[in-house]
Amino acid sequence: MSDEAREPGWEPVCRLSDLEVERGVTALVHGQAVAIFRLHDGTVLALGNHDPFAKASVLARGIVGTRGDVPFVASPMHKHPFDLRTGECLDDASVSVPSYAVRVEDGVVWVGPRQPRSAA
């Protein structure tokens, strides 16, 4: 386990083998519902689970896909796509959900602090 994963703000969530490819799961991390996704290439990404358009915690149940080279999850309610790397809505740049740092150490998925929003 790296020293970074042991730093405050990192929480172990589940084993990597518990995550189905291209499906989301929800975990309570830092007191927040976080949607965690494992992509085909093995990358694991995490977003806040709350869909700001539907005002419901549903993003972990969304459809995972790509637009160009951007991995996204489309909300199951109104199909708004959110960039899995940044949390930004691909159809409305003024809307976003939080994104979280993720590491996989010794087969365990760790979710870290909320990522700062990128400057658009």
Side-chain angles (χ1 to χ4, degrees):
M1 181 183 317
S2 74
D3 290 337
E4 193 168 337
R6 293 180 188 155
E7 292 178 7
W10 287 87
E11 292 186 30
V13 174
C14 64
R15 299 208 53 83
L16 178 62
S17 60
D18 295 334
L19 299 177
E20 290 186 50
V21 174
E22 305 286 315
R23 298 281 183 126
V25 298
T26 305
L28 189 62
V29 182
H30 313 305
Q32 301 294 315
V34 175
I36 301 167
F37 301 90
R38 179 180 178 185
L39 305 182
H40 277 294
D41 67 1
T43 303
V44 180
L45 300 166
L47 297 178
N49 193 43
H50 188 262
D51 176 351
F53 293 102
K55 302 188 183 328
S57 293
V58 295
L59 290 182
R61 297 187 330 205
I63 299 167
V64 175
T66 56
R67 185 181 286 183
D69 62 349
V70 177
F72 72 87
V73 60
S75 171
M77 300 290 285
H78 300 295
K79 311 300 184 227
H80 290 95
F82 294 91
D83 185 329
L84 284 168
R85 302 167 304 174
T86 64
E88 293 179 13
C89 179
L90 299 178
D91 291 341
D92 184 344
S94 68
V95 178
S96 67
V97 297
S99 63
Y100 294 87
V102 176
R103 296 199 181 283
V104 179
E105 298 281 341
D106 298 325
V108 176
V109 176
W110 292 74
V111 175
R114 185 175 172 161
Q115 305 276 51
R117 284 203 60 190
S118 60

